[in-house]
Amino acid sequence: MFDEGGWNKEDGGEAFSQALLHPQHCSAQHCPPAPRGSLRKQRRRLLATLQRLEASSCTEPPQSPGPLSGDSESESDSADQARRKQPRKQRRGLKPRAASSHIAPRTPSGSGTPQVGPEPEPEPAGRRRRKDCAAEAPGDKAHTPSKELPSWGAATGGPGPVLSRKQWRNKQKNKRRQKNKFKAGMGKDVGQSLGGGQDVEQRTSALSQSELSGALRARMEERLQSARFRYINQQLYTSSSQEAARLFQRDPAAFAIYHRGFTRQVGRWPENPVHRIIQYLRGRPASLVVADFGCGDCKIATSIRNKVHSFDLVALSPCVTVCDMAKVPLADESVDVTVFCLALMGTNLREILEEANRVLRPGGMLKVAEVASRFADIRAFVSAVTQLGFQIVSKDLDNPFFYMFDFSKTGPPRARGKLPGLALRPCLYKKR
């Protein structure tokens, strides 16, 4: 069996076989010493021979002790050659990878007990197993769940092939599809059983469509009116009072649209400046005559006991006198208080304020309330008004939406040149 020195058949083979079968009767005299250079190889071969003998003792009945025959030597040589073909890790004594579980072979039709075969040899670590192998266990890989796959014969109790992972997943998919189809069919049946309520739904949908169309129409009309208000407002701030008067003479309905939009914008403020003016006039004597320039809907005239001359470009009330703000039908020095509540509009503010100075009595009060964003320089505005025959009495700049000024008349206008302080910014609204 062994071709190295010290292990030939004549002197050491018989003793070695006796030592393997009956290790307790082996003595040192029957085991000749081996050369030092081949000690490792002899140990490896000895271990391989022991493994072979242990494997054969598990499957074959024990035989009577005797010397190893030539057949056993040839088998050991073939085993040695097979071992040399194994990977290097297994030859060094490393633990091989656990082999997958195998299915016992089927029993023949005449016998009831399965045949017992030899245990399969462990598969080499470097060799990859096939995925479609029926003997592969479901939990063989680390990334797969430890869940056993059902077999075809599990339900019937008989033997059947084990499903692979792909087959098992497809089977579960088919089950879910069948379940979803069943649910969809139930929903259709319920919808057919409740088919009587479809007419009600159609009627309600028709009503909702009509309501939506009405709401859409109202929204479009509101947008159109807002657009017209922005256009009219821009024309009033960028043209003179004479041009604004001609604009409303050609289109009287435009003033109603403008006034409606103006009221909506002022209604968003926390406070309306006209209420402050009304409160001031209520605390003054009722004998004072008031001139309201740009009165609108005559709120001041209807809220106080004083005599009020209301002027505007279009009459929204019988109390309104339609005229140009630079030429009002009043005598000189005939009123005690003149009011401009959000009415300093146009490019000819100097002419309008000179007209207010003309109709005021000496010492009369000029009250101005205007949008805060229109003032670029408040000091320049106050200086320009004082050059037109007025003196500043008080000013209120606390409100973020509008500023209020009180002037008293000191005499006729004395300015000769231009007054840049009267060039207020136009109050233009953003397009939405």
Side-chain angles (χ1 to χ4, degrees):
M1 172 177 159
F2 300 98
D3 51 354
E4 285 81 5
W7 291 92
N8 53 8
K9 183 175 180 182
E10 286 76 16
D11 53 356
E14 181 178 357
F16 178 69
S17 62
Q18 290 293 337
L20 291 177
L21 297 177
H22 302 283
Q24 65 273 14
H25 299 291
C26 181
S27 60
Q29 59 183 356
H30 297 289
C31 299
R36 295 182 179 180
S38 62
L39 184 58
R40 291 183 179 177
K41 295 181 180 180
Q42 292 172 4
R43 288 180 181 176
R44 293 175 184 172
R45 293 174 181 176
L46 180 59
L47 289 175
T49 307
L50 288 174
Q51 291 177 359
R52 291 287 299 172
L53 290 174
E54 288 177 0
S56 63
S57 64
C58 294
T59 57
E60 298 178 359
Q63 299 177 358
S64 60
L68 294 175
S69 61
D71 298 336
S72 62
E73 290 181 1
S74 61
E75 290 178 359
S76 61
D77 292 337
S78 61
D80 189 15
Q81 293 177 3
R83 185 192 62 77
R84 290 180 182 177
K85 292 182 180 179
Q86 290 180 355
R88 187 175 298 176
K89 292 184 178 180
Q90 293 188 7
R91 279 188 283 166
R92 290 180 182 178
L94 299 178
K95 187 177 179 180
R97 188 172 58 180
S100 58
S101 60
H102 293 268
I103 301 176
R106 296 187 181 179
T107 60
S109 59
S111 61
T113 59
Q115 296 179 359
V116 179
E119 185 178 356
E121 294 183 1
E123 197 172 337
R127 196 173 298 173
R128 188 175 297 176
R129 290 172 294 179
R130 293 185 301 170
K131 292 184 179 180
D132 56 350
C133 181
E136 187 176 0
D140 212 9
K141 294 185 180 180
H143 66 276
T144 56
S146 59
K147 192 172 183 180
E148 294 185 359
L149 300 178
S151 61
W152 290 104
T156 59
V162 178
L163 295 176
S164 63
R165 285 191 185 87
K166 191 172 183 180
Q167 293 173 349
W168 184 77
R169 289 172 184 169
N170 292 338
K171 187 176 180 181
Q172 297 299 323
K173 280 184 180 179
N174 293 335
K175 285 184 179 180
R176 287 194 295 269
R177 288 173 182 171
Q178 293 295 334
K179 189 182 296 184
N180 294 336
K181 286 181 181 179
F182 175 74
K183 290 182 179 179
M186 289 293 293
K188 290 180 180 179
D189 295 341
V190 173
Q192 292 177 0
S193 62
L194 298 177
Q198 292 182 358
D199 298 337
V200 179
E201 292 180 359
Q202 291 178 358
R203 288 195 296 270
T204 54
S205 63
L207 290 175
S208 61
Q209 288 179 0
S210 61
E211 292 176 357
L212 286 174
S213 60
L216 181 61
R217 189 182 301 106
R219 186 177 179 182
M220 295 301 294
E221 290 178 357
E222 183 179 358
R223 280 191 173 187
L224 181 61
Q225 291 180 1
S226 299
R228 293 192 66 185
F229 164 73
R230 288 193 299 268
Y231 172 76
I232 297 169
N233 182 76
Q234 183 176 356
Q235 293 297 320
L236 293 178
Y237 278 103
T238 57
S239 60
S240 63
S241 59
Q242 296 83 5
E243 295 174 352
R246 289 194 293 269
L247 172 65
F248 291 126
Q249 287 177 1
R250 292 194 301 266
D251 188 5
F255 188 81
I257 296 173
Y258 168 77
H259 183 71
R260 193 181 304 114
F262 172 81
T263 305
R264 188 185 301 111
Q265 294 293 333
V266 176
R268 297 175 181 175
W269 294 358
E271 184 182 8
N272 195 336
V274 72
H275 296 156
R276 285 195 182 185
I277 296 173
I278 291 172
Q279 185 178 1
Y280 167 80
L281 293 175
R282 284 177 178 175
R284 305 288 292 173
S287 59
L288 296 179
V289 181
V290 181
D292 188 5
F293 288 73
C295 62
D297 54 357
C298 301
K299 192 155 189 153
I300 295 177
T302 57
S303 301
I304 61 177
R305 297 175 296 172
N306 304 63
K307 182 180 180 181
V308 179
H309 299 280
S310 301
F311 304 105
D312 213 329
L313 298 176
V314 177
L316 294 179
S317 173
C319 303
V320 178
T321 302
V322 178
C323 64
D324 180 10
M325 298 299 106
K327 295 179 182 180
V328 294
L330 288 176
D332 296 345
E333 300 180 356
S334 57
V335 297
D336 300 296
V337 181
T338 56
V339 177
F340 289 87
C341 184
L342 304 177
L344 286 178
M345 306 173 71
T347 56
N348 57 336
L349 294 182
R350 180 172 181 171
E351 298 177 6
I352 295 173
L353 291 176
E354 287 177 351
E355 183 70 6
N357 181 282
R358 182 186 69 82
V359 299
L360 269 176
R361 295 189 179 102
M365 185 68 62
L366 169 66
K367 296 187 71 67
V368 176
E370 196 53 59
V371 181
S373 61
R374 297 192 63 193
F375 295 95
D377 189 353
I378 296 175
R379 183 176 296 180
F381 173 75
V382 173
S383 176
V385 174
T386 55
Q387 293 182 28
L388 295 178
F390 296 97
Q391 181 182 0
I392 184 70
V393 177
S394 65
K395 57 183 177 181
D396 185 4
L397 309 178
D398 296 335
N399 197 294
F401 294 93
F402 58 87
Y403 294 157
M404 298 194 70
F405 303 90
D406 290 343
F407 297 93
S408 63
K409 180 180 177 180
T410 58
R414 58 182 185 274
R416 299 298 180 187
K418 295 182 179 180
L419 300 175
L422 294 180
L424 301 182
R425 297 171 180 170
C427 185
L428 303 179
Y429 296 93
K430 296 180 180 180
K431 295 181 179 181
R432 302 184 184 277

